[in-house]
Amino acid sequence: MNTTKKETLQLETDRSATVRANIKRYYIYVVLALIVFALSMAKFKDAGLFGRGSFLSPDSLINLLRSAVPILTLSGAFTLLMISGYIDLSVGSAMSLSAVAFAWMILNGFGFLPAIIITLILGVVMGALNGLLVMRLRITRSLRHW
């Protein structure tokens, strides 16, 4: 198909308008990312970019990913819950209470295995109580009703 010069100019104008609209929509995220990156580099400038104990060292990045596993696991499950049309904000408080209970038990002389078992039981009890409250009192609402 042959396009005229006018149609080509119109397509280029539409594309540039789309690009400008996307830049206006998402520029704040780019600016925030650049600020965080600049501040983190300023904080760790004395350690060197890839030196030992540096922010961008492989050991530091692996440690960061390991510490993010519980949050990433819950965020994946929470995403599926929200896609289905429901929202449940008690997940974060249940995780926090379980983490505090586990830390308290470890600091007060419980063994590692009993602390894990008691924490899992606490999580199951909290989940069952939450499920009971949701089913009987209809606490949560579907996002489709809002």
Side-chain angles (χ1 to χ4, degrees), residues 63-78 91-92 95-96 99:
N63 191 24
L64 179 68
L65 289 174
R66 282 184 183 155
S67 65
V69 166
I71 302 296
L72 292 174
T73 303
L74 283 177
S75 65
F78 196 75
V91 175
M95 187 182 89
S96 299

Side-chain angles (χ1 to χ4, degrees), residues 8-20:
T8 304
L9 184 61
Q10 181 64 34
L11 287 173
E12 288 176 6
T13 305
D14 290 343
R15 283 188 199 126
S16 63
T18 304
V19 169
R20 275 188 256 121

Side-chain angles (χ1 to χ4, degrees), residues 55-120:
F55 177 67
L56 291 178
S57 70
D59 290 337
S60 176
L61 293 175
I62 288 171
N63 191 24
L64 179 68
L65 289 174
R66 282 184 183 155
S67 65
V69 166
I71 302 296
L72 292 174
T73 303
L74 283 177
S75 65
F78 196 75
T79 300
L80 292 175
L81 185 67
M82 290 181 71
I83 288 172
S84 70
Y86 293 92
I87 187 166
D88 184 11
L89 298 178
S90 68
V91 175
S93 60
M95 187 182 89
S96 299
L97 181 64
S98 297
V100 168
F102 179 77
W104 181 85
M105 285 185 275
I106 292 295
L107 290 175
N108 287 313
F110 282 72
F112 187 72
L113 189 59
I116 287 180
I117 292 171
I118 293 171
T119 302
L120 288 174

Side-chain angles (χ1 to χ4, degrees), residues 19-37:
V19 169
R20 275 188 256 121
N22 284 334
I23 289 172
K24 285 181 182 179
R25 184 179 306 153
Y26 298 114
Y27 80 94
I28 190 68
Y29 301 113
V30 174
V31 170
L32 287 174
L34 290 174
I35 289 171
V36 168
F37 182 74

Side-chain angles (χ1 to χ4, degrees), residues 2 4 20 23 40 46 51-52 74 87 89 97 123 127 129-132 134 139 142:
N2 291 333
T4 64
R20 275 188 256 121
I23 289 172
S40 65
D46 296 333
R52 183 166 174 79
L74 283 177
I87 187 166
L89 298 178
L97 181 64
L129 180 64
N130 185 30
L132 181 69
V134 167
I139 292 176
S142 170

